[in-house]
Amino acid sequence: MIKRLFTSESVTEGHPDKMCDKISDSVLDAILKEDPMARVACEVTASTGLISIMGEITTTAKVDFQGIARQAVREIGYNSSEVGFDSQTCSVSCSIHSQSPDIAMGVDLSLEAKNGEGDGLDHGAGDQGMMFGYACNETPEKMPLPISMAHTLARKLTEVRKSGLIPYLRPDGKTQVTVAYDENDQPIGIETIVVSTQHDDGVELSQIRADIEKYVIRAVVPEEMMLPDMKIFVNPTGRFVIGGPYGDCGLTGRKIIVDTYGGYARHGGGAFSGKDPTKVDRSGAYMARYMAKNVVAAGLADRCEIQLAYAIGVARPVSVMVDCFGTEKIPVNEIHDRLIKTFDMRPSAIIKNLGLRAPIYAQTAAYGHFGRQDVDLPWERTDHIKELQN
């Protein structure tokens, strides 16, 4: 009965790349609190004892970059040399300059506005590129089951560490879930779970495996989702003491598949963290997800993928593609036309309608930008069902 297996992974906030994402988005939030119109493209790298903050930032806000970085790292749990990284003693360097005027001139006033077509929402896209959004009926949050369960396990792994339930855990960790699908592309159940978690030195592997299976895996994975021969791998190398930036360099934007759909849907290649919403890598991807989720929630399709493509300095997308993979209940061209009628996909309209100038981004830096049920994200709302149904 099994037609195929599909696997997705997630990582905890202590993963070195995710630590960099959190610092980048914490900088963005701090700036947006003071200057909602700021232009921010903040990149972070981290290695042993070192954080480097770089990028293009144009703002009137005065923020403490070093303090923001140290606070973000402290919240994650890297607060001692014993765990390999200390938020208080690490070095934090900054290399920041303003946005290129060549880019700014296209963002400030779109090609349409220059041609006399402006209506007050006149910003152009901050770059060219394509973004994808996806939704499906596999989970209540309209996400693919593999990435949804991988995120759930990663959040639980962090929860049992921070609560002290498993006191010997350290911040770095990864989860992976393999789901079996039938010939109708419906999930049958979970075939394999992999959890790799950083831990204190001297802890027996048998204890780690028993605790993770009891307090993480079986605490969040419903028994009916587990196939009878489900395989569980916990720290399969046998040891994971060295982790975080001490074990591997971190970089903003290097977990774009974790951030989105776990590889289940296509990806345009642009990262999210550290970017203000004039960057369509971020706002365009949020809009595409918003549209796709409303299509599925409206019952127009069981699966929906939307691609938006933009030209730098031009407000309206140069293309809008809708693919429902044969699950559509009405013709796809009709879904496309209803989307065009219902949603304004110009960057300024996206920013206004989704409230994207608010400091809401640090909470998205780990455990995914889509399908979140633990935080209220505007692009996750299904408030256009009636318009799409009529």
Side-chain angles (χ1 to χ4, degrees):
M1 293 293 292
I2 295 177
K3 179 182 179 183
R4 63 185 175 95
L5 301 175
F6 193 89
T7 302
S8 295
E9 75 159 355
S10 182
V11 297
T12 66
E13 61 197 49
H15 186 281
D17 294 330
K18 278 291 141 203
M19 187 181 91
C20 292
D21 284 342
K22 181 166 183 177
I23 296 170
S24 293
D25 275 334
S26 295
V27 168
L28 174 62
D29 280 357
I31 291 171
L32 291 178
K33 285 179 184 177
E34 294 186 30
D35 180 13
M37 304 302 292
R39 304 281 170 80
V40 181
C42 179
E43 309 278 350
V44 174
T45 62
S47 187
T48 306
L50 173 65
I51 295 170
S52 296
I53 303 174
M54 304 161 288
E56 301 79 47
I57 298 177
T58 303
T59 182
T60 59
K62 304 297 181 183
V63 298
D64 176 7
F65 291 100
Q66 287 200 1
I68 292 167
R70 294 187 191 280
Q71 177 63 26
V73 175
R74 188 181 309 116
E75 290 175 356
I76 290 170
Y78 288 120
N79 49 25
S80 167
S81 58
E82 292 182 2
V83 299
F85 203 89
D86 190 338
S87 61
Q88 292 302 111
T89 61
C90 67
S91 174
V92 181
S93 66
C94 296
S95 179
I96 303 293
H97 59 86
S98 60
Q99 185 181 61
S100 162
D102 295 344
I103 296 175
M105 65 185 292
V107 178
D108 293 339
L109 197 64
S110 69
L111 180 66
E112 293 93 329
K114 293 172 184 175
N115 292 335
E117 302 170 12
D119 64 355
L121 298 174
D122 302 330
H123 292 305
D127 200 356
Q128 71 178 51
M130 64 283 191
M131 304 86 216
F132 288 92
Y134 181 81
C136 63
N137 270 333
E138 290 184 21
T139 62
E141 63 272 23
K142 304 292 186 284
M143 287 288 284
L145 182 58
I147 188 64
S148 179
M149 287 307 310
H151 284 323
T152 300
L153 288 165
R155 282 196 301 270
K156 190 64 175 180
L157 190 58
T158 296
E159 178 188 314
V160 298
R161 171 178 63 87
K162 288 187 170 182
S163 70
L165 182 60
I166 307 181
Y168 56 79
L169 295 184
R170 293 180 179 180
D172 199 355
K174 303 178 78 171
T175 63
Q176 185 173 287
V177 176
T178 300
V179 173
Y181 288 81
D182 65 18
E183 65 275 9
N184 297 314
D185 284 329
Q186 295 301 307
I188 300 170
I190 297 173
E191 202 266 351
T192 305
I193 292 175
V194 183
V195 178
S196 295
T197 179
Q198 188 187 13
H199 57 87
D200 291 345
D201 200 3
V203 183
E204 292 292 332
L205 180 59
S206 58
Q207 181 182 356
I208 297 170
R209 288 177 170 169
D211 287 345
I212 294 301
E213 181 169 345
K214 178 179 179 180
Y215 296 115
V216 177
I217 297 173
R218 298 195 180 275
V220 299
V221 180
E223 188 172 350
E224 61 270 19
M225 283 189 182
M226 300 180 183
L227 293 177
D229 56 349
M230 185 183 78
K231 296 180 287 292
I232 296 175
F233 297 95
V234 176
N235 284 16
T237 68
R239 178 180 169 88
F240 188 0
V241 173
I242 298 173
Y246 182 49
D248 190 11
C249 292
L251 177 64
T252 298
R254 202 158 56 181
K255 283 289 176 283
I256 59 176
I257 297 302
V258 171
D259 287 342
T260 52
Y261 308 100
Y264 203 92
R266 286 171 280 196
H267 197 295
F272 300 156
S273 290
K275 297 179 181 178
D276 78 82
T278 66
K279 280 72 171 174
V280 285
D281 277 342
R282 182 165 221 161
S283 54
Y286 289 171
M287 187 63 177
R289 160 65 177 174
Y290 183 45
M291 295 163 65
K293 188 174 183 180
N294 273 269
V295 167
V296 174
L300 302 185
D302 295 328
R303 298 166 61 197
C304 181
E305 184 178 73
I306 293 174
Q307 183 200 55
L308 305 179
Y310 291 88
I312 188 169
V314 180
R316 297 189 183 280
V318 298
S319 72
V320 180
M321 182 278 293
V322 182
D323 189 348
C324 296
F325 309 97
T327 70
E328 62 273 9
K329 312 305 179 185
I330 63 174
V332 173
N333 61 344
E334 177 65 22
I335 296 175
H336 175 277
D337 292 346
R338 293 185 189 186
L339 287 168
I340 298 296
K341 180 180 178 181
T342 302
F343 295 94
D344 191 335
M345 289 160 272
R346 294 175 297 169
S348 289
I350 297 171
I351 292 168
K352 177 183 177 182
N353 294 333
L354 295 181
L356 297 184
R357 295 199 185 277
I360 59 175
Y361 298 106
Q363 63 187 344
T364 68
Y367 315 117
H369 293 245
F370 307 125
R372 297 287 294 273
Q373 296 181 303
D374 56 322
V375 292
D376 180 22
L377 300 174
W379 53 88
E380 288 298 307
R381 297 169 188 165
T382 52
D383 50 1
H384 287 286
I385 291 175
K386 290 184 178 179
E387 295 98 312
L388 290 173
Q389 289 175 334
N390 298 314

